[in-house]
Amino acid sequence: MLCFLECSSGSNNAKVAVLGASGGIGQPLSLLLKNSPLVSRLTLYDIAHTPGVAADLSHIETRANVKGYLGPEQLPDCLKGCDVVVIPAGVPRKPGMTRDDLFNTNATIVATLTAACAQHCPEAMICIISNPVNSTIPITAEVFKKHGVYNPNKIFGVTTLDIVRANTFVAELKGLDPARVNVPVIGGHAGKTIIPLISQCTPKVDFPQDQLATLTGRIQEAGTEVVKAKAGAGSATLSMAYAGARFVFSLVDAMNGKEGVIECSFVQSKETECTYFSTPLLLGKKGLEKNLGIGKITPFEEKMIAEAIPELKASIKKGEDFVKNMK
């Protein structure tokens, strides 16, 4: 659950930047961040409209100080002193597109923005929302390596929307309060690489195999469900903003010293033969404190992992090669 009040045991002074703050995800995400007592400074960057978005948000009666930055020459100032950078920048999916179809445009955008982060806030936590996450996280890692400031514990692919969807859909089927449901979702953040571990759901739930298969498919294709319903007007933006904010608040809570904060995220990993993989992570003051791994799973879930690995490996390699071949 998004928690706005009495969230943190430490100092509520997070300096957060949103890169791509004028877009479909960026605006509602910035609103949720502005609404949080955890955030003391909110810097918003985009190539259009940020002065207006910042002016609008700055009137809200919460203490976060908001400032907008416009265009590449203002990006360094947006990033200086940041604790957390969230990147939803890029183009959204249209009907008929896969997340991978976004690759060429979004790869360039993410490489450019993360290079600026590596230069101007190398110690910040980097949270990547821009799709395809299965490739944009390897891109971010390679860019940070190029600049000699790579820390795998500080680079996160935000897969939280898959968990939020799984929680919601399970709760609907079982008549539960979604706020009390927690389904770990592992693997990646596209199609069949999205692996909901319904067997590890709390509270424990049981589904017949056919219903389990349908539910799993709906979680995997939930993004496409929204793309189709929006009929060309974009992709999931509001639920993605919610999920992005949830992840940032968890991260900031952990940075403030709150204990036992666990979120799934797509990170550098040794849990499978893939160099990046999403699993539940214990977050701490310095980012990723401990990878909690896959845990006990069913044969159905094991098969999904086996089927996801080739696609994940290909997406990871695609991201790494993109940076290697960059001018």
Side-chain angles (χ1 to χ4, degrees), residues 197 199-200 293-298 301-302:
L197 302 182
S199 72
Q200 293 182 18
I294 294 168
K296 191 167 165 284
I297 55 171
T298 65
E301 291 161 349
E302 230 159 280

Side-chain angles (χ1 to χ4, degrees), residues 4-5 24 49 68 74 87 93 110-111 116 135 143 145 159 162 164 178 197 229 244 246 248 265 267 270 320:
F4 290 120
L5 301 166
H49 311 306
Q74 292 187 12
I87 308 186
R93 285 200 291 157
V110 170
S135 299
V143 166
K145 285 176 194 171
T159 61
D162 300 324
V164 166
L197 302 182
R246 172 181 143 165
V248 171
S265 180
V267 294
K270 296 186 172 70
E320 290 173 339

Side-chain angles (χ1 to χ4, degrees), residues 1-8 28-39 158 160-161 164 167-168 177-181 237-251 253 258 263:
M1 271 305 277
L2 271 193
C3 122
F4 290 120
L5 301 166
E6 316 299 343
C7 248
S8 170
L29 174 60
S30 299
L31 173 62
L32 291 170
L33 294 170
K34 170 63 174 142
N35 200 34
S36 168
L38 295 173
V39 179
V158 180
T160 316
L161 183 50
V164 166
N167 294 348
T168 302
D177 173 0
R180 306 248 173 265
V181 176
T237 52
L238 302 171
S239 53
M240 184 59 248
Y242 168 89
R246 172 181 143 165
F247 185 80
V248 171
F249 298 150
S250 289
L251 190 54
D253 269 341
K258 184 173 175 181
E263 289 283 356

Side-chain angles (χ1 to χ4, degrees), residues 8-24:
S8 170
S9 53
S11 61
N12 298 346
N13 285 315
K15 298 180 178 70
V16 182
V18 179
L19 310 186
S22 302

Side-chain angles (χ1 to χ4, degrees), residues 249-264:
F249 298 150
S250 289
L251 190 54
V252 171
D253 269 341
M255 289 163 74
N256 284 339
K258 184 173 175 181
E259 294 190 353
V261 178
I262 297 167
E263 289 283 356
C264 294

Side-chain angles (χ1 to χ4, degrees), residues 133-151:
V133 167
N134 293 356
S135 299
T136 54
I137 281 296
I139 287 170
T140 303
E142 292 303 312
V143 166
F144 269 68
K145 285 176 194 171
K146 264 194 176 174
H147 287 85
V149 291
Y150 179 55
N151 179 345

